[in-house]
Amino acid sequence: MRNVLVVLFDGVQSLDVTGPVEVFAGAELQAPGTYRVTTASLDGAPVRTSSGLTLVPEGTLAEAAAAPDTLLVPGGKGTRAPDPALLDWLRRHGPRAGRLVSVCTGALLLAEAGLLEGRRVTTHWAYCERLADRHPGIDVDPDPIYVRDGHIATSAGVTSGIDLALALVEEDLGREVALTVARHLVVFLRRPGGQAQFSAQLAAQTARREPLREIQQWITEHPAEDLGVDALAARARLSPRHFARAFRAETGTTPGRYVDRVRLEHARRLLEDGTDGVEEVSRASGYGTPEAMRRAFVRTLGTAPAEYRRRFRPLPRREAPAVSSPSSSPRSRPLRT
């Protein structure tokens, strides 16, 4: 039985709590006796979330397990001016947890409690700079959706807590249990931790005019094609000069920079998947040669493609417990509700 303790406080982001809780609860349904999820606040009183919902904890933090297997600290508006008593509790009990996990700006609480010094972490993209400025001894990476550094795991905004929880379940119980839970929640099994918080299309503005919107989509779907300004302008039926100006005005970036980001994102996704070699990935992503892709990776990410693949390979999996009879399979066994 793995004890998962979720810390509640006024102003917590509700999805930071319920997303991971649903993952662990779903895993417990598939493999009974593997997880015990407990929610607790300082005084055991109900808390009001940032969206106005009320969450009722099971008890007080003082009554909770002194050394949980996983201590999960969510984010939300309540992390901006935290209760000193909560920070004191985290300072005393955080080091005892088998795994110390934060979702979104929950990393701010862990940092204020002095639990992240010397660690590589992430948080919601809008608060990475604040975290780095307030705590220069922490290595803040604003790009990934989650980061593991030893027994500490931090995730980016809101839904990335689900990705991290699924990765932890996969680590604990194996891929099949995590996959069954993901299917029930209708989410991808596990977005790799190194995947960017923003896709190219989310990072750029969406063009107002339909021809330019179509070009944005076409670039994303065809990274290996000729994506020079002349070729893209011809497809949009505009002059190259007019196209370049209009694209930048409506998306906030130049066509070249947009293409660079799309190709890098495509290459990262293929490397994270791990099925194609570097040469195949470079061609499929529009770089043409491994050397061109290597230069793009080093310039933007500070690491070569081979090292990137090694760094962001899937989490190691432990042997999964038996969750079905030999005549059944995880695919045929529905999640019990």
Side-chain angles (χ1 to χ4, degrees), residues 207-325:
R208 294 188 301 275
R209 284 183 283 177
E210 187 170 344
L212 294 180
R213 288 200 305 271
E214 291 178 352
I215 289 296
Q216 285 182 282
Q217 184 64 32
W218 195 85
I219 291 171
T220 302
E221 295 174 351
H222 302 86
E225 298 290 334
D226 179 1
L227 301 181
V229 170
D230 289 348
L232 295 175
R235 179 168 289 275
R237 298 182 180 179
L238 298 171
S239 71
R241 186 176 183 182
H242 185 194
F243 169 77
R245 286 180 174 178
F247 191 96
R248 181 166 189 171
E250 296 201 17
T251 67
T253 189
T254 65
R257 288 176 182 169
Y258 188 80
V259 168
D260 287 344
R261 181 150 192 163
V262 167
R263 283 177 167 162
L264 185 70
E265 182 178 302
H266 187 264
R268 290 173 67 170
R269 192 161 53 245
L270 292 180
L271 289 171
E272 289 162 1
D273 182 61
T275 56
D276 294 326
V278 170
E279 186 170 350
E280 290 81 359
V281 170
S282 66
R283 289 199 303 267
S285 303
Y287 289 109
T289 66
E291 177 57 25
M293 185 171 72
R294 189 194 70 80
R295 288 196 300 268
F297 268 64
V298 171
R299 180 175 62 251
T300 306
L301 303 176
T303 187
E307 172 61 18
Y308 179 87
R309 168 175 279 172
R310 187 199 66 77
R311 185 178 184 185
F312 295 115
R313 66 187 184 276
L315 290 169
R317 296 199 299 267
R318 301 173 187 172
E319 184 178 354
V323 297
S324 60
S325 65

Side-chain angles (χ1 to χ4, degrees), residues 9 51 72 84 107 151-153 171 212 219 251 279:
F9 49 86
S51 62
L72 190 147
H151 76 291
I152 295 177
E171 178 184 335
L212 294 180
I219 291 171
T251 67
E279 186 170 350

Side-chain angles (χ1 to χ4, degrees), residues 10 46 77 87 120 176 208 258:
D10 283 323
K77 293 180 180 178
L87 294 179
R120 176 174 169 264
E176 293 304 327
R208 294 188 301 275
Y258 188 80

Side-chain angles (χ1 to χ4, degrees), residues 1-42:
M1 177 70 72
R2 297 168 175 84
N3 291 306
V4 178
L5 175 59
V6 183
V7 176
L8 299 185
F9 49 86
D10 283 323
V12 72
Q13 169 78 39
S14 57
L15 193 55
D16 287 3
V17 176
T18 59
V21 165
E22 289 291 345
V23 171
F24 289 119
E28 166 63 19
L29 288 172
Q30 279 299 292
T34 53
Y35 290 110
R36 168 72 171 94
V37 181
T38 304
T39 57
S41 63
L42 275 172

Side-chain angles (χ1 to χ4, degrees), residues 42-121:
L42 275 172
D43 57 5
V47 301
R48 186 175 178 82
T49 70
S50 57
S51 62
L53 294 174
T54 298
L55 299 178
V56 181
E58 297 179 53
T60 69
L61 287 173
E63 299 167 341
D69 297 289
T70 298
L71 176 60
L72 190 147
V73 181
K77 293 180 180 178
T79 63
R80 314 295 193 271
D83 188 328
L86 177 58
L87 294 179
D88 182 61
W89 186 92
L90 289 172
R91 199 172 290 117
R92 287 184 289 110
H93 294 275
R96 303 179 186 178
R99 288 189 301 219
L100 189 56
V101 177
S102 70
V103 180
C104 196
T105 55
L108 300 183
L109 295 181
L110 297 184
E112 289 295 327
L115 300 173
L116 300 183
E117 286 298 307
R119 300 286 185 170
R120 176 174 169 264
V121 306

